[in-house]
Amino acid sequence: GEENELVLAKINAFEPNILFVGMGMPRQEKWISANFERINANVVLNAGACIDYIAGVKVFVPRWIGYLGLEWFVRLLTEPRRLWKRYLYEPLFLSKFVIEDIKRKYWKKK
């Protein structure tokens, strides 16, 4: 709409080399996808929770938890209402497509 046009005009007037978009997932990905061709920036990145970490709104998970691959679990415990679907439901939904791809690659009919 009109507000989006104003945002694009301001971005393009500034002529950024790198544009960070922080609107939360999946809104930022949808916005980037819908407006990508109209953004005059060399690189467009979705900032996600990065802005919250820098602002001190979210607490960094200790690195040793990240090394164990459990950072997602700590985030789920701290924000269960917002993240349960992303971490518990979506992987199960997507696993169907991964299995189909593996079958196509390794069990092709000859």
Side-chain angles (χ1 to χ4, degrees):
E2 186 178 323
E3 186 178 2
N4 189 61
E5 295 302 319
L6 290 171
V7 170
L8 286 169
K10 286 183 180 182
I11 290 169
N12 291 333
F14 189 75
E15 299 178 350
N17 290 318
I18 301 173
L19 176 66
F20 290 91
V21 180
M23 299 175 171
M25 184 178 165
R27 185 178 181 207
Q28 63 198 12
E29 287 81 6
K30 289 178 181 178
W31 186 87
I32 292 169
S33 179
N35 295 288
F36 186 74
E37 296 296 326
R38 300 177 58 209
I39 299 170
N40 294 329
N42 298 25
V43 178
V44 179
L45 301 170
N46 53 348
C50 178
I51 295 169
D52 290 335
Y53 286 119
I54 292 169
V57 176
K58 291 186 187 281
V59 177
F60 282 98
V61 176
R63 273 310 340 136
W64 66 270
I65 292 175
Y67 292 135
L68 295 174
L70 296 173
E71 188 169 343
W72 69 271
F73 185 67
V74 173
R75 291 188 68 210
L76 177 63
L77 291 176
T78 59
E79 297 181 78
R81 291 186 119 187
R82 189 173 79 84
L83 299 175
W84 77 269
K85 194 172 183 180
R86 183 185 308 175
Y87 292 140
L88 301 177
Y89 173 72
E90 286 178 4
L92 294 174
F93 175 77
L94 294 174
S95 65
K96 175 178 105 175
F97 298 106
V98 171
I99 291 168
E100 288 174 4
D101 283 349
I102 291 170
K103 283 181 181 178
R104 263 194 298 273
K105 182 173 182 176
Y106 294 106
W107 289 286
K108 291 188 235 178
K109 291 184 179 182
K110 294 181 180 182

